[in-house]
Amino acid sequence: MSILRSLARPAAVTAAVLAAATLGVAAPAQAGGLEGELRITVSDIQRGTSEYYVLTCGPDGGSHPTPRDACANLRDLNGDLDAIREPGRPCVKLWSPRHVEIRGYFHDQSVYFDHEYPNAHCMAMAASPIVPSQWR
């Protein structure tokens, strides 16, 4: 009997993971016609703190402080977040790393971005306004 229980657990876990993945893929169709929705996490690695934002586009909103600018930039990039990995100009090279993770969808495509910047200034130079920052 214990062998059957041991075999049933992995199957149940696999089914739960597949169900969660299916729900994640189905989310864009269920989002009520939104153009996109991103969940953005910015972590200060040295301090061990994180900030969380939700950006919705079409209509532009969410908890993001500048949704109109962020969505306009996202549209200009056609949702290609790889374009925000490196700043287009020099930034201060002070070591105070920021980790950015973005998950969601844009134009019915899944979006995932994971990158570590050397500091908040470099992060802002590369990723603002999509990633909120006090540096502009």
Side-chain angles (χ1 to χ4, degrees):
M1 186 74 156
S2 64
I3 293 174
L4 290 176
R5 283 188 199 156
S6 298
L7 293 173
R9 281 190 192 135
V13 170
T14 302
V17 169
L18 288 174
T22 302
L23 289 174
V25 170
Q30 300 170 358
L34 286 176
E35 181 180 10
E37 179 177 281
L38 302 179
R39 299 194 180 279
I40 303 166
T41 304
V42 180
S43 300
D44 181 327
I45 295 172
Q46 289 181 322
R47 291 185 180 160
T49 59
S50 295
E51 297 176 358
Y52 306 93
Y53 306 93
V54 175
L55 173 65
T56 57
C57 299
D60 303 347
S63 63
H64 193 287
T66 57
R68 181 175 287 171
D69 293 339
C71 289
N73 189 217
L74 194 58
R75 289 179 190 106
D76 289 345
L77 298 174
N78 198 31
D80 180 13
L81 295 178
D82 284 333
I84 67 170
R85 285 192 187 279
E86 300 300 325
R89 55 188 189 248
C91 62
V92 176
K93 294 295 183 183
L94 172 70
W95 187 249
S96 181
R98 299 298 192 271
H99 178 257
V100 175
E101 182 178 66
I102 302 173
R103 294 176 182 267
Y105 69 92
F106 188 74
H107 290 170
D108 292 326
Q109 297 295 315
S110 293
V111 173
Y112 180 75
F113 177 82
D114 188 282
H115 191 69
E116 185 176 305
Y117 297 94
N119 57 57
H121 181 254
C122 291
M123 178 187 75
M125 298 290 286
S128 182
I130 294 172
V131 176
S133 174
Q134 75 271 13
W135 298 89
R136 293 261 172 171

